[in-house]
Amino acid sequence: MVVENEYGVQFEWEVAKKLMDSQICKELDKTIMPCNEQAYFNAYAEAHEEKWEEEWELAVMHPCG
């Protein structure tokens, strides 16, 4: 499964999931599941920014640069 950020950059779902904060994931599992991987990726990016007051590394335009 491939997911993409708002800039069209694509990631393998399993790779993205490994880079997620476990506490945020626990909360999302309680509040938005069941949902598809893309919806989870999007919700995670938003929750990450709320918690850490910065964009998640996979949510930026140039995540590898």
Side-chain angles (χ1 to χ4, degrees):
M1 167 50 100
V2 174
V3 293
E4 70 178 40
N5 69 18
E6 67 178 292
Y7 302 103
V9 180
Q10 296 184 341
F11 307 95
E12 288 293 328
W13 169 246
E14 292 303 318
V15 173
K17 186 76 171 160
K18 290 178 183 179
L19 296 173
M20 293 179 177
D21 177 284
S22 62
Q23 291 294 69
I24 295 173
C25 289
K26 286 179 186 176
E27 194 60 36
L28 291 176
D29 290 347
K30 288 189 268 183
T31 58
I32 69 167
M33 288 303 284
C35 68
N36 67 35
E37 289 88 349
Q38 185 64 56
Y40 196 98
F41 181 90
N42 296 344
Y44 178 86
E46 185 177 317
H48 180 96
E49 188 167 358
E50 288 177 16
K51 179 178 179 177
W52 298 107
E53 298 180 353
E54 65 181 20
E55 283 186 300
W56 180 38
E57 61 191 321
L58 298 186
V60 299
M61 185 178 291
H62 302 290
C64 299

